[in-house]
Amino acid sequence: MTVFLAILLSAVAMTVIVGVRYLIVSGGFALATRWRSPGLYTGLDPQIRREISWSLASAAIYGVPAGIVAWGWQNRGWTLIYSDIHVWPLWYLPLSVLLYLFAHDTWFYWTHRWMHRPRPFRIAHAVHHASRPPTAWAAMAFHPYEALTGAVVIPLLVVLIPIHIAALGLVLTIMTVMGVTNHMGWEIFPRFMWRGPVGAWLITASHHQRHHEQYKCNYGLYFRFWDRICGTDRGVGHFGKR
């Protein structure tokens, strides 16, 4: 098998994985929404179809660089991903997860804030905000230009910051779950995660809901750090009844 074909197959495989992961996680939380809040998504079928279409297109944009990096890790040692847990001290495992989440959150905050400038918003980010209100299917409903800004993050981090393969899996799980739950239209996490001292620094659906209500605030993904430092934190929103 040629190198080109091997990389192509890896890219296709990762695209399928990302797409299936999206369908399973978003579908699962959509079912949970139907059970918990019957009728919340009533009348949103055309919107949900658009969200799924954009999200599956985004899956390819996320999957291709991920597939290339996965091939390079296994065959050329391009990354700092390691599988032997003894390569780094055990205390580094949770630290690496926090480093990845903070780096991703920083990238997301600034690119997201930039995409709310008039021209980038009109060209790309308006696709995501066309979901009114967003649903569990909207997590990856991005214009391809916006999807590209998200697709480069993990591939860049794995060549810059060492991480165990299991810790990377945890990062990807958190990324997926937070992306979906932040758009569901209701709060799945306990009150201490979005109210009180802990909630003052963590982002859940209640915080991101305000972003979809007011647009010019609450740009973060996992943490409220940059929003609070930069004066763009407007607290938590409210889930209106439909």
Side-chain angles (χ1 to χ4, degrees):
M1 182 183 297
T2 66
V3 169
F4 174 78
L5 181 57
I7 294 175
L8 178 61
L9 290 175
S10 181
V12 170
M14 287 303 298
T15 296
V16 172
I17 290 171
V18 174
V20 170
R21 182 185 67 185
Y22 158 76
L23 292 172
I24 292 174
V25 177
S26 288
F29 281 111
L31 286 174
T33 300
R34 179 177 295 182
W35 172 77
R36 188 261 187 188
S37 301
L40 185 63
Y41 296 164
T42 298
L44 297 180
D45 288 351
Q47 174 185 305
I48 289 172
R49 285 193 291 270
R50 289 195 303 272
E51 290 171 347
I52 293 173
S53 296
W54 284 113
S55 295
L56 290 178
S58 296
I61 295 172
Y62 277 78
V64 169
I68 294 171
V69 168
W71 181 89
W73 165 57
Q74 292 181 323
N75 295 277
R76 293 292 188 273
W78 288 349
T79 77
L80 297 179
I81 301 171
Y82 61 96
S83 56
D84 183 353
I85 201 168
H86 300 294
V87 170
W88 284 78
L90 288 179
W91 57 259
Y92 181 71
L93 281 173
L95 176 61
S96 65
V97 172
L98 290 175
L99 287 173
Y100 269 63
L101 293 178
F102 181 76
H104 188 194
D105 188 72
T106 299
W107 176 267
F108 184 89
Y109 176 88
W110 290 105
T111 55
H112 189 193
R113 186 169 175 176
W114 172 77
M115 278 186 284
H116 274 266
R117 296 175 63 87
R119 191 163 184 269
F121 186 89
R122 184 178 66 254
I123 293 172
H125 196 49
V127 166
H128 185 66
H129 276 278
S131 294
R132 300 174 182 169
T135 76
W137 298 101
M140 291 173 57
F142 304 132
H143 186 281
Y145 290 162
E146 181 171 358
L148 281 170
T149 68
V152 300
V153 179
I154 299 300
L156 284 175
L157 288 177
V158 296
V159 302
L160 296 174
I161 303 175
I163 191 166
H164 188 271
I165 185 64
L168 179 59
L170 177 59
V171 169
L172 294 174
T173 299
I174 294 172
M175 180 175 71
T176 303
V177 171
M178 296 306 294
V180 175
T181 58
N182 282 355
H183 294 91
M184 285 195 305
W186 56 282
E187 186 60 75
I188 192 172
F189 293 105
R191 188 176 179 83
F192 78 87
M193 288 188 64
W194 57 278
R195 288 283 192 189
V198 174
W201 295 100
L202 294 180
I203 290 174
T204 64
S206 300
H207 188 266
H208 195 64
Q209 180 73 10
R210 174 133 303 170
H211 173 74
H212 280 270
E213 293 169 354
Q214 299 184 2
Y215 284 39
K216 296 293 186 179
C217 63
N218 296 17
Y219 297 109
L221 178 61
Y222 306 118
F223 310 115
R224 294 169 67 171
F225 173 81
W226 287 111
D227 275 311
R228 290 167 69 91
I229 291 293
C230 298
T232 54
D233 195 301
R234 298 292 182 270
V236 297
H238 303 282
F239 303 111
K241 303 236 182 239
R242 300 186 69 252

